[in-house]
């Protein structure tokens, strides 16, 4: 309709292929994004009692001000703490609260971006590769081929 390639991002990892990790969830001032799913779809992550209490309270408090039923964003406050034993181990987290599960996702999960610039020649390294191999354009394919508003990461076809 607009000629623009605007997508919601889906599938960005918390730990990438090179083992780079997002910070642990108790980093002061860190914005955390949580996907809200049914409790039966996940397993409570093992963590220290202080960490569990702190994150659970933040997620429950967020319900008072956040009406989004699919995602919850929280900023970890400077006044809260977690168990130090969780520092290096806690990245991928699932917390069950009642009938809901809060699954930590990448902070840009479901964020919307305009990718139109990356559809132009010589702007994205995959553009030349796809052109030379006859593959679908790595940025345009989601809308043009799949008729989707989601850019799914990673996608190597």
């Amino acid at each position: 309709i607009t000629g623009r390639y605007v997508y919601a991002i889906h599938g960005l990892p918390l730990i990438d292929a090179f083992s780079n990790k997002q910070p642990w969830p108790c980093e002061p001032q860190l914005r955390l994004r949580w996907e809200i799913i049914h409790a039966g779809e996940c397993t409570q992550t093992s963590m220290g009692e202080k960490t569990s209490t702190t994150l659970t309270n933040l997620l429950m408090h967020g319900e008072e001000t956040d009406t989004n039923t699919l995602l919850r964003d929280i900023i970890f406050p400077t006044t809260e703490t977690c168990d130090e034993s969780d520092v290096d181990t806690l990245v991928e987290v699932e917390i069950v609260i009642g009938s809901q599960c809060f699954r930590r996702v990448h902070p840009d999960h479901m964020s919307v971006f305009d990718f139109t610039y990356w559809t132009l020649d010589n702007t994205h390294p995959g553009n030349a590769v796809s052109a030379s191999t006859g593959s679908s354009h790595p940025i345009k394919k989601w809308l043009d081929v799949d008729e989707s508003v989601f850019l799914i990461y990673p996608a190597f076809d």
Side-chain angles (χ1 to χ4, degrees):
I1 297 175
T2 65
R4 312 234 17 118
Y5 290 85
V6 179
Y7 298 110
I9 303 299
H10 191 278
L12 292 170
L14 290 169
I15 303 171
D16 71 17
F18 303 103
S19 297
N20 297 309
K21 301 177 185 178
Q22 291 290 316
W24 79 310
C26 300
E27 184 74 31
Q29 296 301 302
L30 181 68
R31 180 178 60 88
L32 301 161
R33 180 158 287 176
W34 302 82
E35 183 175 41
I36 305 169
I37 57 178
H38 188 271
E41 297 180 51
C42 68
T43 303
Q44 174 73 35
T45 300
S46 177
M47 65 188 85
E49 184 177 334
K50 177 67 176 160
T51 302
S52 179
T53 299
T54 298
L55 292 175
T56 298
N57 287 341
L58 289 170
L59 289 165
M60 288 174 45
H61 176 70
E63 186 174 40
E64 298 168 8
T65 58
D66 190 347
T67 59
N68 188 329
T69 59
L70 303 175
L71 299 172
R72 171 125 345 119
D73 285 350
I74 60 173
I75 307 289
F76 195 87
T78 57
T79 56
E80 295 292 337
T81 59
C82 293
D83 295 282
E84 289 297 319
S85 60
D86 292 327
V87 171
D88 293 326
T89 60
L90 204 61
V91 176
E92 296 173 323
V93 182
E94 294 179 337
I95 298 175
V96 177
I97 304 172
S99 63
Q100 295 179 315
C101 172
F102 293 83
R103 177 181 291 152
R104 184 182 179 198
V105 293
H106 190 280
D108 285 326
H109 177 73
M110 300 304 287
S111 290
V112 177
F113 297 97
D114 185 342
F115 282 85
T116 305
Y117 170 79
W118 297 102
T119 65
L120 305 174
D121 291 338
N122 302 317
T123 57
H124 184 278
N127 295 353
V129 173
S130 65
S132 68
T133 62
S135 301
S136 298
H137 190 284
I139 304 300
K140 291 181 177 182
K141 70 179 177 180
W142 305 105
L143 187 60
D144 293 352
V145 177
D146 297 340
E147 297 180 351
S148 176
V149 295
F150 297 101
L151 190 147
I152 311 296
Y153 180 91
F156 304 110
D157 67 343

